[in-house]
Amino acid sequence: ALQTRKPIYPPLAMRQKITAEIVVSALVSENGTVLDTKILRGEQRRLGFNEAGINAARQFTFVPAMKDGKRVRTWVPIPFEFKIQ
């Protein structure tokens, strides 16, 4: 990724010191921007981790994938780790 964005830690989860690891899949366009996102491996406790990961992933920019010398769309997994420092 050329440009990344750290996700915002969900406030309730932070107060309760709850950690999580999620993986968001991002559809990267021929221009390197994120067109779509989906959760590959999410957090089931409904504390906002999945939404925070998706919001951060949407702001990433990438070097576009190449196939046969042409830029192509591709799905890229993006792991996010939420842990209390």
Side-chain angles (χ1 to χ4, degrees):
L2 289 174
Q3 182 178 359
T4 62
R5 177 65 57 111
K6 188 172 180 163
I8 297 171
Y9 211 113
L12 178 61
M14 183 176 275
R15 281 196 299 276
Q16 296 180 5
K17 297 183 173 31
I18 297 171
T19 62
E21 292 182 24
I22 67 166
V23 179
V24 175
S25 186
L27 178 59
V28 179
S29 76
E30 298 86 348
N31 297 323
T33 58
V34 174
L35 297 174
D36 195 10
T37 56
K38 61 184 176 184
I39 296 293
L40 279 184
R41 188 175 74 233
E43 171 57 47
Q44 303 304 315
R45 292 178 280 188
R46 303 238 185 261
L47 293 170
F49 292 114
N50 296 347
E51 294 81 3
I54 284 175
N55 288 336
R58 285 184 179 147
Q59 298 177 51
F60 278 40
T61 55
F62 292 86
V63 173
M66 301 288 282
K67 182 176 181 179
D68 300 326
K70 294 184 179 178
R71 294 177 177 190
V72 294
R73 292 181 181 184
T74 189
W75 286 94
V76 176
I78 307 170
F80 290 105
E81 184 176 13
F82 294 87
K83 63 180 181 180
I84 306 296
Q85 302 296 331

